[in-house]
Amino acid sequence: MDCKVFRNISFSFPRRKATHSQSWKNQSSVTEFILLGFSRNPRTNWILFFLFLFLYLFTVLGNGLIVTLIRVDARLHTPMYFFLSILSLLDLSYATTTVPQMLIHLVSKSKTISYVGCVVQMYVFLTLGITETWIFAAMAYDRYVAICYPLHYGVKMSQTLCVLLAVSSALCGLTCALVYTVFAMNLPYCGPNEINHFFCEIPAVLKLACADTSLNDQVDFILGFILLLIPLSLILASYVCIFIAILKIRSTQGRIKAFSTCASHITVVTMFCIPCMVMYMRPGSEASPEDDKKLALFYNVISAFLNPIIYSLRNKDVKRAFFQLVGVSEDTQ
């Protein structure tokens, strides 16, 4: 055969299909995300900056004050205030995970967060939130024992049990948040990298995945059922028993006093858990970015801001401890 003809012959070999792992590596090119936040209008962002700065500073001050009062006042060294101090620490940490970064993004041109930073923020946020739901259940059980078994309260709510409930709540948060985060970040993210949210929350991040997220929706629903409905069921069962016990109290003043110890807890649980249920237990396709941001603001920023007010205004022990700390005598209160 002529050499010229031989040189013109081309050989084509079938290309081997890329494996799943190779495809994942080729697609997962996102190294950072852009958090779009609330508005692109600079004037609106400055207004939001000062508003959220006030809310955050008050959150830190209010929750920090409650923790300090419970720490320094021996009369507040009871199971009820032990769990309240943990709740305040969780609220303070919860807001700190997202709000400082949100404040920076409101007034700066750069609104990016690294891939690793996004994963860390997501995991810490979920850990604190899941832990808080189980602390709510522990607080409800504490009120149940205090009202239904007042004579055995000191024995049933021992220091060992309180620590055990707190540690088990934290372990549940650490473990389940890891499952949430691994399932979310194991998906390929190949762009665009703009998250229509003010922080890396799972429902918002999943919308950027270059793959089917139906499995993640199922995992989110199952975990949401375990981590929200089960604690809420325990809280509801506790309060059914509490209300039955309150109705058996003969004096009106006694009923009001018993109910007032539960009212703050019921209010706080409602503000936190209902928005979380809407966010994490509905299919991702039904989620609206603007609605998601409003819900996240409510259970992330607003509830952490209001909790110290709710517990301090309705609690004589906390107010007495505060006046004692600032040096005001009980006669002038």
Side-chain angles (χ1 to χ4, degrees), residues 42-226:
R43 181 177 296 180
T44 303
N45 283 339
W46 273 107
I47 295 173
L48 292 175
F49 172 82
F50 287 111
L51 173 63
F52 291 134
L53 178 63
F54 167 76
L55 292 175
Y56 178 66
L57 292 177
F58 191 91
T59 298
V60 173
L61 178 63
N63 286 288
L65 182 60
I66 285 182
V67 173
T68 303
L69 292 175
I70 293 172
R71 177 71 178 174
V72 301
D73 195 321
R75 290 173 294 187
L76 300 182
H77 293 175
T78 63
M80 174 183 172
Y81 294 108
F82 169 74
F83 290 120
L84 178 57
S85 65
I86 293 177
L87 179 64
S88 295
L89 283 173
L90 288 171
D91 282 337
L92 197 156
S93 304
Y94 206 54
T96 302
T97 304
T98 59
V99 177
Q101 181 194 57
M102 177 181 67
L103 293 173
I104 294 172
H105 285 179
L106 282 171
V107 295
S108 66
K109 293 183 179 179
S110 175
K111 302 180 187 298
T112 61
I113 181 172
S114 67
Y115 183 91
V116 174
C118 187
V119 173
V120 172
Q121 185 184 59
M122 184 186 296
Y123 178 68
V124 173
F125 181 82
L126 286 169
T127 298
L128 295 170
I130 294 167
T131 303
E132 188 159 324
T133 59
W134 287 100
I135 289 295
F136 284 141
M139 295 174 77
Y141 177 72
D142 170 72
R143 292 298 83 207
Y144 161 73
V145 175
I147 293 174
C148 298
Y149 301 97
L151 299 179
H152 304 283
Y153 180 69
V155 177
K156 287 181 175 290
M157 292 302 298
S158 63
Q159 185 177 4
T160 303
L161 178 61
C162 292
V163 172
L164 183 62
L165 289 172
V167 171
S168 59
S169 298
L171 289 175
C172 181
L174 289 166
T175 306
C176 295
L178 184 63
V179 176
Y180 263 118
T181 306
V182 168
F183 267 87
M185 304 315 291
N186 196 40
L187 293 169
Y189 293 91
C190 51
N193 63 339
E194 293 183 342
I195 301 175
N196 194 0
H197 212 297
F198 62 92
F199 73 101
C200 287
E201 190 165 34
I202 283 185
V205 175
L206 286 179
K207 292 179 180 179
L208 304 184
C210 307
D212 181 21
T213 61
S214 57
L215 177 61
N216 294 78
D217 288 339
Q218 293 173 12
V219 171
D220 289 352
F221 181 83
I222 293 170
L223 286 177
F225 180 84
I226 296 171

Side-chain angles (χ1 to χ4, degrees), residues 196-197 202-204 207 217 278-280 282-293 295:
N196 194 0
H197 212 297
I202 283 185
K207 292 179 180 179
D217 288 339
V278 175
M279 176 71 78
Y280 284 93
R282 67 182 176 185
S285 59
E286 297 181 8
S288 163
E290 298 307 316
D291 290 342
D292 283 355
K293 283 184 271 190
L295 286 171

Side-chain angles (χ1 to χ4, degrees), residues 268-279:
V268 169
V269 168
T270 303
M271 287 195 310
F272 182 85
C273 290
I274 291 180
C276 285
M277 287 175 63
V278 175
M279 176 71 78

